Amino acid sequence: MTAETVYTTIDSPLGELLLVGTDSATARGGTALASLSLPGQKGGAVVQDGWRRSPAAFEEVGRQLTSYFDHGLTHFTLDYTTDGGTDFQRRVWQALEEIPYGTTATYGEIARQVGAPRAGVRAVGTAIGRNPLLVVRPCHRVIGSDGALRGYAGGLASKEHLLGLEGALTS
């Protein structure tokens, strides 16, 4: 039996977020988060036929997001779906989750952490760009080696907002 896909939208300082998940007997609230998309996100999820709108399924996700945007939460404790992504992408995504709140890491640092050669920086950037869980899997904390804000699927304005919220902007 295939798990049912559920979705909802919630308001945030970044605009309306689209949350997508699947029913899960082991996840808090009964839903494992599969995707969190920002308005206008490059490659973001789009509601599909057969998905069921279920705001109640995302109460815990909404509670944590609200707390994060209100400066009350610095680390998400959500259950995610485990499907999707290549082995390399999953290693990069795991590295993202290890970047502490209020700090940043460079693409090169992530490449070294996942054992990619120097030329792997571009591959790391591509893997980060395919992260389906913006905000909660903090790809916004990855910056260029020169400290500049570089690519963010949700747009550089959203990346800057999130880093500002976390106090990670130095200028």
Side-chain angles (χ1 to χ4, degrees):
M1 182 174 155
T2 304
E4 181 179 27
T5 300
V6 292
Y7 76 97
T8 196
T9 56
I10 63 169
D11 290 327
S12 82
L14 302 175
E16 188 176 72
L17 306 178
L18 173 62
L19 307 177
V20 180
T22 58
D23 293 333
S24 170
T26 58
R28 270 170 256 165
T31 303
L33 190 63
S35 174
L36 187 158
S37 299
L38 278 60
Q41 177 183 329
K42 178 183 173 186
V46 177
V47 176
Q48 304 291 314
D49 288 339
W51 290 6
R52 180 175 55 87
R53 185 175 190 84
S54 179
F58 296 95
E59 286 180 1
E60 178 60 17
V61 177
R63 185 190 66 72
Q64 289 191 36
L65 284 166
T66 297
S67 182
Y68 169 79
F69 286 121
D70 289 343
H71 303 277
L73 183 74
T74 60
H75 179 78
F76 291 94
T77 55
L78 299 169
D79 296 295
Y80 309 131
T81 58
T82 55
D83 54 341
T86 65
D87 177 62
F88 179 75
Q89 288 170 337
R90 288 190 299 273
R91 288 194 336 258
V92 169
W93 297 343
Q94 177 59 46
L96 296 176
E97 295 194 32
E98 296 170 11
I99 305 170
Y101 179 94
T103 66
T104 58
T106 67
Y107 291 92
E109 289 168 344
I110 299 296
R112 285 189 293 282
Q113 185 176 343
V114 300
R118 182 168 167 80
V121 171
R122 188 174 301 268
V124 164
T126 299
I128 290 171
R130 294 205 172 113
N131 171 23
L133 297 166
L134 273 65
V135 182
V136 298
R137 183 183 288 144
C139 55
H140 60 275
R141 295 180 187 153
V142 183
I143 60 173
S145 61
D146 61 356
L149 302 186
R150 304 253 186 255
Y152 186 61
L156 288 180
S158 292
K159 182 173 190 161
E160 185 173 19
H161 180 92
L162 293 168
L163 291 173
L165 174 85
E166 295 182 6
L169 290 178
T170 56
S171 56

